[in-house]
Structures are given as structure tokens and as C-alpha cells.
């Protein structure tokens, strides 16, 4: 019995050592990864002059909240809360729209054989390859004729039509699901739609969540489309507002810019942390065994 | 999540989003001015102190759109001024848009493409020719003639910057001139005398070297490779970088430019000037406060006169900063000219050009307005406004006013506005093919100047009619 | 007797079943067409309304001289392409910079992403914290703050030079030296490997653990498990990440736009940045459109290459072709 105990102790020690090594390595690299962000947050608590003079220290010598206060006041009488609201509108709604429609389209491309599938798939990929900079003016003219300028429509409507990146990504996940599940459902009398809602959709949760995280933060930091389509400053998203803050021809309040940039990262982070729980659970295709 | 719950969740989400999107448009109509100044307040000031022909305006509501670039400070001031105008003119509603300089021309060009230019737009000397040639901005001479825009308190030098092909298309918002900003304390510490106003490039080189030797810092800051300096070299000779009709290079000899490049290389090698590599590394995308003189890394800097306010603020009120005119060529005249820092122009597609002109007139001449604006865009062109502002100026602002007043005495007439192709030259030739290769030692100054001449002539040849 | 009748009946039944099956299959195929188009309808509609017209417009513009401000573009045929290929040294510099970036940043990014995803694919305590930390840089994206931060770190007085000073080296102007500037952007790209990492992680999570258990029982070691289970099961996701990273690598814009502006000496003048400048800063949208379509063709070519190769190394559980 003591031998078994000794053996298990060695094993425990080994596992502990392994665990320690793991944490040491991962944490060290993690610190290096996150250092620039720590610097950003630290700087937001320093006064503007201290930021440039006392560059390396992560701990501000004079801890101050003025950057946050000034930054939150926004400019032109529009406080940052307005920009937050706009960003949430754009990112939140946009994400819901795009993830759901992308899943639907992905199922079509990934699971259903139909005439012309390869052609349309190639078209879809092609839309990814033309830089936004040259299509934005013709698109602007389209929306201008539809009289949708200075609204969120040009930003949100295209989201109702899926987005090539997510469609492709979800397709690849759908392909990873064994067809036997589909066939089983078909035998049970399910149509394609039924298979989609009952079988596929639950199984691609991690992909949907990943897509949601991406879509959220891409919308959050997009500035070209808001710049072009949103005229009134009261509609500006955070990304645009921050750019307007940092004007090279005049003086910029860098402390406030850092503070607001830091704050603007918080929602995205929360979205990520909240959703990654679902990633952890993952799914096992244990449906096969049953 | 239980797979049976998905359809329910989906439908809830769909309904929610439909509901929310129905609400969204309600948030997007053109915004009312901020509640601090209700535009519907019955005005108690129909007697405008400055604008003359206002009383005859019809009382029907007019909507104007205005757009400008700038920093936070400018946004706040301009919005306050606009609100004041709306208070005084309750039938005029002005909706405003503003972005940073980096994004301004992208936005404006897109709006032009969509036939959607705002009534009043901020313009720049580098772009007014392009916009005028495409018939996008309105000639304003008629409004000046009939008094809608009162320019009686200005001088032609200040106004003519806004003329293209003889027509006035843009109203100067603030006069500016290029200058050197020097740290007087650093000079005193090094025992170097403050240069005279008619100093030459040779003087500049010597001064920078001395400052570097005595103090160990850079004598001179960044920015001497740019196109304004290139132009000013020849202005001193009475020439300009481009010829009068914008079809080719404007100077006879490359030698001044070659000498200039050689001087910069000497200074760079001696460590007396911020090296080009560091210039690129440290100053891109930053504002004026990144100037080396602010952090005492250099004793001199090159800025536009209206930037002294920001520089002083960043450096600290206790700093002793002074403005000097540009160095000139040996034996040459002044290299300075009075440049409008920016303009207001009116779009040809504007439905209310007269009301727009009235606003511009008010902006230019109203003392109240300018007290709010604080001469942040440059020295106001109306002498009455300047006099009214004088008592309230800060140290830096006073320095700016004095400087511009003094430089105007000897300044050269403003060179013609930059022709189409100028942005091409600056963007694709000046730095990429000439200045940077020289600065990094890849080509000689002579080669650089030759490339400049060749490329400028090629690009501007398209302007030949 | 009964046997023969029985077998005939069975035979007849089998034939009947075959005919029924064929008819049903045809009906099923037709139904599949309708179902297929119904499912992709949202994308198809968006494609026609929002995408086709602008794309066609930009193709047309590639053959014109369009300065955005005039309303009517001027047809110039192949002049834009001629200038691009024959008379524009900056064009080739931008091609070079972009290829350099794609060749280096894309593999590095994917390698890190996969490595870290595997590291984080565990149930150890605190792994969700690590996940968040490793993903955090990507969240910062292309904001103004990133630019300032990055220039701070790589600036002459920045953190990196503090480290070099510690080891006694002279400070390097990372951002100002033509040899090193592009590496600051590559570093930025690799630092933000969170997106492909997250996708790899999701893919890893989908690999049934029973496979690993079965392999362990069969005596497979770590390397075996990696090459025989992980990689094949992950291959559709690898394909996705590879394709997307290649495409976005060629179109890299924001980082150069906000951090270096293309300097110094155009070593970081990426293709999309140069295109943007030509279009909006130089009022040469026709030229920019020409550049854009050349880019599209090049990217399409490389993407097709990757897809073609995929039949050799991608394993789909569902056993279907692309």
C-alpha cells in the first residue's frame, strides 16, 4: 500500500511540476502579449505630459482621472456615452443580423447540392478580394440614390445578407459534422430546413459564437464606412470619434484618447469573456453513438 | 443550450432586432443643436452689430450644412459660434459635421461624388483649384460687390489667396505664415545670439551647429524636407516651385534646392538636426506637440504661425518662445508670404447660397463670433476684429498676431494656388523619389533635384490646355 | 414453387424500389435546387443589390480617368495599366512590400495561432484567463491608440530600445530604418493572432475526445496523435484560416495607414495603402480601381492554388467536395 502511495505521490509531483511549467510559460508569453495594453491603460491614468516623459513605467506617478473625465465629455457637446450607444447599435444589431444570416447561407452552400453552387461560392469569395477602398464610392452613390445617407441603414442593411468571411467559416464547420446525422433526420422525415434547425444549428454553436465575437469587434473598430455614411457627429461611432480626436494639425489630448480607447475596449472584452464559456463546452458528436 | 430552445431564441432575437431597427431610424434625423442654446428662442438681438444687409432676410426657414476639419478645440469653438449664430438668426438651422484632417478629404471627395456637398465647407489652398475646376465651389465676387460679404476691413493680400483664375472662390479664415519657433532660453544658455529677421540659410546652418555643440541637443527640429520649404527657397529669389499656369516647374536653376539638400545632409551628419529616420519614426501621425522643441530636444522648430498656440500650450506657459521669419537665400528677398490657413467656400449645389454667404460674412466680421473662435485658425482678416481681440490675447496668440503683422510688411505676394497634380507630386515624388532617397543617402542631391524637375514637368504637363 | 414466385416478387419489388429510388432522387435533386437557393437567398440578394453594381462600376472605372470630383469619368482604355506596370516605380515597391509581408506574416501568424490554440485547449485552471489575455491584442484592432502605442514601443525612446540599451546595443530607429520598419508591422500582425487562434481553438474543441482516447488505448504517443488525429480533423479549419489570412494579408491596409503611413522609403507602402492614396489623395480613382482589379486577380489566383491543393490534404468528415 505504501508503494502505491509513493507511486501516486511521484505522479502528483510530476503533474504539479508540469502544471507549474505550463503556467510559467503561458503566463510569461501572456505578459509580453499584454504589455502594450497594460501600457495603454496605465497611460490613461497619467497626465498628458507625464505620458511622453515617463514612458516605461506601468505605474503612474501621479494617478489622475482627469483623462477619463475630459474624454467622457466628448466634444462639440456630445458626450462619449452617445458614441458608445452608436457603436453598440452598429455592432450589436449588425452582429445579430450577420451571424444568423451567415449561418443560413452557410448551410445552403455547405450541405445542399444545387445547380450553380460552385459558381456562386466562387463569386462570394471574390467579393472578399476587392479592396473596400474602390467599391466604397459606387456603394456610396447607390445609398445616396436610395436616400439613406446619414443613417445607419448603409451600415446595417448589408449585414442582413450575411458576410462572406463568416459564411465561409461556418461552412467549414458544417462540413465537419458527419452526414449520417443528416441522413438519420431525413429518414425521420425532416426537410432541409428541419435538418438545419434541429441538427446543424445546435452543433455549430462554437462557430456561431466565434463569428459573433469577430463580427462584434470588427464592427466596433470599423471606421471607413461610418466616416463615409455618418455625417452628423451625433451618430459617430467610437472608432470615428477617436479618430476625430486625434487631429495632427492642432493639439490633441492624448491622455483622453488613451482613456477612451481603453474604455472602448471594455465592451468587446466583455463580449469575448462572456461568450468564450460556450466555446469551452464545445460539442461532441456523440449523437453518432446513439 | 438545449437544442429545443434554439427556434424560440431565434424568433425572440429576430423580433427584438426588428423592433430595435424600427427604433434606430428615429435616432438618425439631422440632430437638433444641443439643448444649451434653443434655436427657437425669440431673438432679442435683431440689430446685428456687424452684418449690414441682414434685415431684409425672409423669415422662411433655411437649412444649411457645414463641414470642417480640426481638433477638439476647434470643434468646440466653432460649434459655440454656430449656436450663437442660430440664436441670432432663428430662421436658420445649421447642421454641422466635422472630422480630423486625415479623413477630411476622403469624406469631402465622397460627398462630391455623391453630389452631396455641404453648403459651406472648409477649404485649403492646396485643393481650391481642383474643386474650382470641377465647378464644385461658387465664385463669391457678386456677394462681395452687393455687400453680403463685407470685406471692407481687409487688405487684398489677405483676400487674394482665395482667388482662382481671378474669381474669389474662398474666404480666408485666418492668416498664417511659415515661421521658425525658437527657444529663447536655450539660445541664452548657449550664448548664441537671436538671429535677425533677415537671416539666411547659411545663418541658420551656423546657428543650428552652434546650438548643437554648446547644448548637445538638436539645433533644429524636423520638417525641412517638405514641399513648403522647397517652395520658399525659390520664393526668396522671386520664383516659385511651379510656373504661373501650373504646367511645369517654376524655377530656372536646381542649384538652390541642391544646396539646401546638401545643407540638410551636413546638419544630419553632424547631429545638429533631427535625422530623417527619426523624423519618420517619431513624428508621423502626431500633432504639433510632438515637435522636438516642446520636449527641449531641439532649440528651434519649423511650424506655421497659428500652431504657436498649440506648441506653447504643450511646452508650458513658462517657456520663452519666439517666432522668426523663414531664412532666405543669400542675397534674396523675404521667403515668407501670407497664407490663408483655411477658407470657407460655398458649394455650387447649395440651395441657399445667399444665406451661406451671410453666415460667412458673420463669421468673418462679427466680434462676438471671433471672441469665441479665439483666432485658433489664424489671424482674422478683419482689422476691426483684430483690434477688438488684442486685449484678450494670450502670450502665444499675441506673438502670432505680432508676427503676422510684422511679416506682412515684407512678405512676398502669395504664389498661385497649387495646380492639379500637386498632391500627386507631394505624395508620390517629393518624399518617395527625391527627399527620402537623398536623406537616406541612396542618391545625391543633384540626382534628386533632377528627378524632381523631370517628374514635376511630366505630371504637370497634363495641365497644358 | 413458392420460392420462385417469392424470388420473382422480391425481384419485382427490388426493381420497383430502384425505379422509385431513381424517381425520388430526381425529385430530391430538384428539391435540393430550390432548397439550396432558398438558403443562400439572403446572400444572393445582398450580392446583387450591394455588391455587383459597385464591383462592376469599379471594373469600368479601371479603364477610365476618374478623379471623383468630376461626375463623368473619361475613358482611357489601358492607359492606367500601362502606367502601373511600366512607368510607376512606386507600384512595384508596393507589390514588393506586400509580397514580403504575406510571405512572412501569414505563416508566422498561423503558426503562433495554432501553437497557442493547442496550448489553451485544456481544462486547466485559469485557462479562460489566458485565453482572454492572448485574444486581447486582437481586440485593439486598428484604432488610433494602437498606432500610438506601437510607435511608442518601437520609437527611438521606446520600450524595445530600452531593452536593447540594457544589453548594451545602440538604439535602433525601428520605424525610421528602411530595413526594420516593415518588421514592426509584421510584429503587429503576429501580435494580433487572436482571430485565427480563436478559430483554431473552436476547431480543436470540435474534435471528439473519444478519438484521442481510442488512440491512447492503441498506444499512440503525442506526436502521433497530433499528426494522425489533430491535423486531419483540423484540416478544414486550417484551410479556412489559410485562405482568409492570405486574402487579408494581400489586402493589408489599416496597420500601415495608422502606424507608418508607408514610410520610410516606401518599404511599408502596402498595395492597398498605395491604392487608397492614389484614389483619394491624388484624385486618381480610375488608377486605383485598375490597381484593385489587378490585386483581385492575383489574390484569386493564389486562393485557387490553395483550394486546388486542398484536395490533397483536407479531410472532410462529411466526405464532400468543395
Amino acid at each position: 500500500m505504501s508503494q502505491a502511495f509513493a507511486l501516486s505521490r511521484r505522479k502528483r509531483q510530476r503533474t504539479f511540476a508540469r502544471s507549474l511549467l505550463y503556467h510559467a510559460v503561458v503566463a510569461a508569453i501572456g505578459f509580453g502579449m499584454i504589455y502594450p495594453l497594460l501600457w495603454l491603460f496605465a497611460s490613461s491614468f497619467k497626465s498628458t505630459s507625464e505620458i511622453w516623459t515617463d514612458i516605461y513605467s506601468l505605474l503612474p506617478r501621479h494617478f489622475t482621472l482627469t483623462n477619463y473625465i475630459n474624454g467622457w465629455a466628448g466634444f462639440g457637446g456630445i458626450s462619449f456615452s452617445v458614441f458608445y450607444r452608436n457603436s453598440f447599435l452598429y455592432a450589436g444589431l449588425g452582429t445579430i443580423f450577420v451571424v444568423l444570416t451567415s449561418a443560413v447561407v452557410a448551410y445552403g452552400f455547405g450541405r445542399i447540392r444545387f445547380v450553380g453552387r460552385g459558381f456562386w461560392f466562387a463569386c462570394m469569395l471574390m467579393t472578399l478580394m476587392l479592396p473596400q477602398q474602390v467599391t466604397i464610392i459606387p456603394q456610396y452613390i447607390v445609398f445616396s440614390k436610395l436616400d439613406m445617407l446619414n443613417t445607419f441603414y448603409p451600415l446595417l442593411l448589408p449585414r442582413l445578407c450575411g458576410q462572406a468571411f463568416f459564411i465561409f467559416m461556418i461552412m467549414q464547420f458544417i462540413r465537419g459534422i458527419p452526414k449520417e446525422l443528416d441522413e438519420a433526420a431525413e429518414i425521420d422525415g425532416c426537410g432541409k430546413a428541419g435538418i438545419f434547425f434541429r441538427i446543424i444549428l445546435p452543433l455549430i454553436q462554437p462557430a456561431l459564437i466565434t463569428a459573433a465575437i469577430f463580427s462584434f469587434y470588427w464592427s466596433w473598430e470599423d471606421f471607413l464606412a461610418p466616416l463615409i455614411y455618418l455625417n452628423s457627429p451625433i451618430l459617430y461611432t467610437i472608432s470615428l470619434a477617436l479618430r476625430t480626436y486625434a487631429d495632427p494639425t492642432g493639439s490633441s489630448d492624448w491622455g483622453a484618447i488613451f482613456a477612451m480607447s481603453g474604455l472602448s475596449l471594455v465592451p468587446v472584452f466583455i463580449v469575448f469573456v462572456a461568450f468564450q464559456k460556450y466555446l469551452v463546452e464545445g460539442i461532441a458528436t456523440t449523437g453518432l453513438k446513439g | 443550450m438545449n437544442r429545443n430552445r434554439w427556434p424560440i431564441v431565434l424568433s425572440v432575437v429576430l423580433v427584438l432586432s426588428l423592433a430595435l431597427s424600427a427604433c434606430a431610424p428615429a435616432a438618425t434625423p439631422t440632430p437638433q443643436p444641443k439643448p444649451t442654446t434653443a434655436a427657437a428662442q425669440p431673438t432679442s438681438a435683431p440689430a446685428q452689430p456687424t452684418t449690414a444687409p441682414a434685415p431684409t432676410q425672409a423669415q422662411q426657414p433655411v437649412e444649411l450644412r457645414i463641414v470642417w476639419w480640426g481638433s477638439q478645440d476647434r470643434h468646440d469653438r466653432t460649434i459655440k459660434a454656430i449656436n450663437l449664430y442660430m440664436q441670432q438668426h432663428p430662421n436658420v438651422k445649421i447642421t454641422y459635421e466635422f472630422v480630423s484632417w486625415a479623413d477630411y478629404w476622403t469624406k469631402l471627395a465622397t460627398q462630391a461624388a455623391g453630389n452631396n456637398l455641404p453648403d459651406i465647407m472648409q477649404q485649403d489652398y492646396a485643393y481650391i483649384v481642383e474643386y474650382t475646376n470641377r465647378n464644385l465651389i461658387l465664385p463669391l465676387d457678386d456677394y462681395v460687390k452687393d455687400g453680403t460679404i463685407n470685406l471692407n476691413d481687409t487688405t487684398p493680400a489677405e483676400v487674394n489667396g482665395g482667388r482662382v483664375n481671378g474669381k474669389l472662390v474662398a474666404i480666408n479664415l485666418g492668416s498664417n505664415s511659415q515661421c521658425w519657433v525658437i527657444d529663447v532660453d536655450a539660445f541664452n544658455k548657449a550664448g548664441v545670439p537671436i538671429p535677425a529677421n533677415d537671416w539666411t540659410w547659411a545663418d541658420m546652418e551656423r546657428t543650428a551647429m552652434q546650438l548643437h555643440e554648446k547644448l548637445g541637443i538638436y539645433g533644429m527640429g524636423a520638417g525641412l524636407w517638405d514641399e513648403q520649404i522647397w517652395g520658399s527657397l525659390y520664393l526668396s529669389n522671386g520664383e516659385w516651385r511651379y510656373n504661373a499656369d501650373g504646367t511645369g516647374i517654376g524655377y530656372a536653376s536646381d542649384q538652390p534646392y541642391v544646396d539646401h539638400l546638401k545643407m540638410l545632409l551636413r546638419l544630419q551628419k553632424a547631429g545638429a538636426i533631427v535625422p530623417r529616420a527619426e523624423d519618420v519614426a517619431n513624428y508621423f501621425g502626431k500633432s504639433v506637440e510632438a515637435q522636438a522643441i516642446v520636449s527641449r530636444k531641439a532649440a528651434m522648430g519649423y511650424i506655421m504661425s497659428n500652431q504657436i498656440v498649440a506648441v506653447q500650450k504643450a511646452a508650458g506657459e513658462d517657456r520663452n518662445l519666439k517666432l522668426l521669419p523663414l531664412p532666405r537665400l543669400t542675397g534674396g528677398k523675404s521667403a515668407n508670404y501670407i497664407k490663408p490657413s483655411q477658407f470657407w467656400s460655398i458649394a455650387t449645389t447649395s440651395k441657399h447660397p445667399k444665406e451661406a454667404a451671410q453666415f460667412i460674412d458673420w463669421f468673418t466680421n462679427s466680434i462676438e463670433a471671433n471672441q469665441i473662435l479665439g483666432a485658433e485658425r489664424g489671424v482674422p482678416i478683419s482689422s476691426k476684429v483684430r483690434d477688438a481681440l488684442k486685449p484678450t490675447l494670450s502670450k502665444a496668440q499675441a506673438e502670432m498676431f505680432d508676427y503676422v503683422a510684422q511679416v506682412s510688411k515684407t512678405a512676398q505676394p502669395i504664389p498661385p494656388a497649387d495646380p492639379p497634380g500637386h498632391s500627386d507630386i507631394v505624395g508620390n515624388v517629393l518624399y518617395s523619389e527625391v527627399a527620402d532617397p537623398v536623406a537616406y543617402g541612396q542618391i545625391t542631391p543633384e540626382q534628386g533635384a533632377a528627378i524632381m524637375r523631370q517628374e514635376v514637368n511630366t505630371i504637370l504637363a497634363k495641365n497644358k490646355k | 414453387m413458392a420460392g420462385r414466385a417469392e424470388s420473382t416478387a422480391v425481384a419485382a419489388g427490388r426493381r420497383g424500389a430502384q425505379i422509385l429510388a431513381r424517381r425520388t432522387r430526381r425529385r430530391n435533386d430538384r428539391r435540393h435546387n430550390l432548397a439550396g437557393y432558398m438558403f443562400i437567398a439572403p446572400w444572393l440578394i445582398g450580392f446583387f443589390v450591394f455588391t455587383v453594381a459597385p464591383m462592376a462600376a469599379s471594373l469600368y472605372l479601371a479603364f477610365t480617368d476618374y478623379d471623383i470630383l468630376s461626375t463623368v469619368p473619361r475613358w482611357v482604355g489601358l492607359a492606367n495599366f500601362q502606367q502601373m506596370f511600366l512607368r510607376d516605380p512606386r507600384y512595384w515597391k508596393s507589390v514588393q512590400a506586400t509580397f514580403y509581408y504575406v510571405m512572412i506574416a501569414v505563416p508566422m501568424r498561423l503558426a503562433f495561432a495554432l501553437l497557442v490554440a493547442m496550448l489553451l485547449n485544456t481544462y486547466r485552471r485559469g485557462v479562460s484567463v489566458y485565453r482572454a489575455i492572448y485574444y486581447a491584442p486582437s481586440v485593439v484592432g486598428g484604432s488610433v491608440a494602437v498606432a500610438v502605442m506601437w510607435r511608442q514601443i518601437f520609437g527611438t525612446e521606446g520600450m524595445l530600445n530600452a531593452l536593447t540599451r540594457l544589453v548594451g546595443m545602440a538604439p535602433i530607429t525601428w520605424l525610421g530604418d528602411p530595413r526594420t520598419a516593415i518588421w514592426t508591422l509584421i510584429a503587429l500582425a503576429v501580435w494580433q493572432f487572436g482571430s485565427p487562434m480563436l478559430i483554431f481553438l473552436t476547431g480543436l474543441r470540435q474534435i471528439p475526445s473519444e478519438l484521442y482516447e481510442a488512440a491512447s488505448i492503441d498506444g499512440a504517443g503525442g506526436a502521433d496523435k497530433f499528426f494522425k488525429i489533430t491535423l486531419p480533423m483540423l484540416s478544414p479549419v486550417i484551410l479556412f484560416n489559410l485562405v482568409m489570412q492570405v486574402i487579408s494579408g494581400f489586402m493589408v491596409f489599416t496597420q500601415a495607414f495608422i502606424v507608418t503611413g508607408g514610410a520610410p522609403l516606401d518599404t511599408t507602402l502596402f498595395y492597398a495603402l498605395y491604392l487608397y492614396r492614389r484614389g483619394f489623395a491624388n484624385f486618381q480613382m480610375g488608377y486605383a480601381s485598375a490597381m484593385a482589379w489587378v490585386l483581385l486577380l492575383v489574390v484569386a489566383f493564389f486562393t485557387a492554388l490553395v483550394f486546388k491543393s486542398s484536395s490533397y490534404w483536407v479531410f472532410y468528415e462529411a466526405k464532400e467536395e468543395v
Side-chain angles (χ1 to χ4, degrees), chain C residues 3-322:
Chain C
R4 194 141 31 115
E6 223 178 55
S7 58
T8 326
V10 167
R14 213 182 293 141
R15 281 247 36 232
Q18 276 176 345
I19 296 173
L20 192 63
R22 209 184 305 140
R23 261 198 234 128
T24 320
R25 211 181 308 135
R26 243 182 269 134
R27 211 187 315 138
N28 279 348
D29 278 347
R30 261 207 313 267
R31 248 198 313 173
H32 288 179
N33 277 345
L34 184 61
Y37 276 99
M38 290 221 50
F39 270 96
I40 70 165
W43 174 79
L44 211 53
I45 297 175
F47 179 67
F48 279 108
V49 174
F50 298 124
T51 319
V52 166
M55 276 181 83
S58 80
L59 180 60
Y60 166 68
L61 287 176
F63 296 96
T64 67
D65 178 11
Y66 178 53
D67 55 24
I68 309 183
L69 300 179
S70 324
T71 40
V72 183
R74 192 172 54 98
W75 183 265
V76 292
L78 293 175
N80 287 332
F81 296 96
Q82 279 173 332
Q83 185 181 351
M84 211 159 69
F85 293 130
L86 302 176
R87 287 193 296 268
D88 190 351
R90 271 191 122 195
Y91 178 77
W92 293 109
K93 283 195 215 162
S94 74
V95 170
Q96 190 185 354
T98 311
F99 263 99
Y100 192 81
Y101 177 84
V102 171
M103 295 294 163
I104 299 185
V106 169
M108 273 180 84
R109 211 163 172 214
L110 286 179
F112 267 103
L114 184 55
L115 201 69
V116 175
M118 288 178 58
L119 266 180
L120 297 184
N121 184 28
T122 112
Y123 285 105
R124 286 187 211 263
R125 250 180 320 176
V127 75
S128 49
V129 173
Y130 289 132
R131 250 200 296 262
I133 290 181
Y134 279 89
Y135 189 67
S138 311
V139 162
V140 184
S143 65
V144 173
V146 166
V148 179
M149 199 165 64
W150 216 247
R151 295 183 66 84
Q152 203 47 50
I153 293 181
F154 285 97
T156 357
E157 313 251 320
M159 200 201 85
L160 220 54
N161 276 336
L163 290 176
T164 59
R165 246 190 291 260
L166 269 176
V167 291
M169 282 164 57
I172 306 177
T173 29
W174 302 94
L175 290 162
D177 189 330
R179 290 162 303 178
T180 53
I182 195 172
W183 283 94
T184 66
L185 294 183
I186 293 178
L188 183 61
V190 175
W191 184 63
Q192 295 183 320
F193 65 68
S195 317
M197 175 200 84
L198 203 61
I199 296 180
F200 275 136
L201 199 57
T202 317
L204 284 171
R205 284 249 156 260
Q206 273 196 304
I207 303 178
S209 45
E210 297 86 41
L211 291 177
Y212 290 112
E213 287 159 14
S216 290
I217 293 176
D218 282 349
D224 260 341
K225 281 194 215 162
F226 178 70
F227 285 105
K228 300 244 172 76
I229 301 183
T230 313
L231 278 190
M233 292 299 286
L234 207 55
S235 53
V237 174
I238 298 181
L239 174 67
F240 171 76
N241 263 344
L242 187 61
V243 168
M244 296 316 303
Q245 290 301 315
V246 164
I247 293 180
S248 63
F250 274 110
M251 309 215 330
V252 57
F253 170 79
T254 316
Q255 290 84 345
F257 185 57
I258 57 176
V259 179
T260 61
L265 283 182
D266 291 343
T267 45
T268 59
L269 185 72
F270 294 135
Y271 199 91
L273 178 62
Y274 185 41
L275 182 163
Y276 173 82
R277 291 253 176 88
R278 278 279 180 185
F280 283 101
N282 300 140
F283 297 108
Q284 291 169 356
M285 193 48 98
Y287 192 77
S289 303
M291 283 181 69
W293 277 86
V294 170
L295 180 69
L296 185 147
L297 291 177
V298 169
V299 177
F301 172 71
F302 279 101
T303 308
L305 263 183
V306 173
F307 267 110
K308 258 284 171 273
S309 76
S310 75
S311 50
Y312 294 107
W313 54 274
V314 177
F315 163 77
Y316 286 115
E317 181 72 28
K319 290 194 186 57
E320 261 192 57
E321 279 182 16
V322 170

Side-chain angles (χ1 to χ4, degrees), chain B residues 41-262:
Chain B
Q41 253 175 20
T43 177
S44 58
Q48 273 288 57
T50 48
T51 50
T56 54
Q57 74 195 30
Q59 284 306 320
Q60 72 214 110
V62 165
E63 260 193 56
L64 295 175
R65 256 178 70 213
I66 184 172
V67 65
W68 68 84
W69 76 80
S71 60
Q72 263 166 284
D73 191 35
R74 181 176 304 166
H75 300 328
D76 289 333
R77 289 179 190 269
T78 315
I79 291 173
K80 231 162 128 187
I82 290 178
N83 287 338
L84 179 63
Y85 185 80
M86 286 196 288
Q87 237 184 336
Q88 294 173 345
H89 298 81
N91 65 318
V92 178
K93 189 165 93 143
I94 303 182
T95 52
Y96 44 82
E97 308 161 17
F98 49 84
V99 287
S100 72
W101 166 262
D103 299 326
Y104 185 75
W105 299 104
T106 305
K107 191 180 173 82
L108 208 64
T110 313
Q111 289 184 340
N115 226 4
N116 194 21
L117 279 174
D119 299 278
I120 308 173
M121 68 189 100
Q122 205 167 281
Q123 270 292 348
D124 185 271
Y125 202 51
Y127 290 91
I128 48 177
V129 176
E130 304 255 19
Y131 276 77
T132 310
N133 284 353
R134 272 85 171 202
N135 212 14
L136 294 168
I137 52 183
L138 212 54
L140 302 170
D141 303 274
D142 293 336
Y143 291 115
V144 176
K145 243 188 286 209
D146 73 11
T148 315
I149 300 183
N150 171 17
L151 296 179
N152 294 337
D153 300 314
T154 68
T155 65
E158 289 154 331
V159 170
N160 288 339
R163 285 195 190 279
V164 175
N165 300 332
K167 299 221 188 76
L168 183 67
V169 291
I171 302 291
N172 182 352
L173 286 178
S175 295
N176 237 353
S177 192
Q178 303 158 285
C179 57
W180 240 245
V181 56
I182 64 173
D183 187 343
V184 179
D185 298 325
F187 272 69
N188 290 341
K189 196 160 132 197
V192 175
I194 311 267
N197 280 344
D198 55 356
W199 61 326
T200 64
W201 285 104
D203 296 328
M204 203 287 294
E205 185 176 2
R206 200 183 46 239
T207 312
M209 292 282 202
Q210 282 175 336
L211 287 164
H212 171 65
E213 280 155 29
K214 297 276 175 56
L215 297 175
I217 57 177
Y218 293 120
M220 178 64 204
L224 295 187
W225 303 88
D226 81 353
E227 79 274 14
Q228 310 262 35
I229 294 283
W230 169 48
S232 72
L233 289 172
Y234 288 99
L235 195 59
S236 198
N237 258 352
E239 294 169 304
W240 183 236
R241 54 182 183 235
Y242 308 129
N243 61 17
D245 52 358
T247 57
I249 204 123
Y251 48 85
S253 158
D254 289 345
Q255 199 54 45
Y257 190 42
V258 171
D259 291 337
H260 178 75
L261 292 172
K262 284 195 176 142

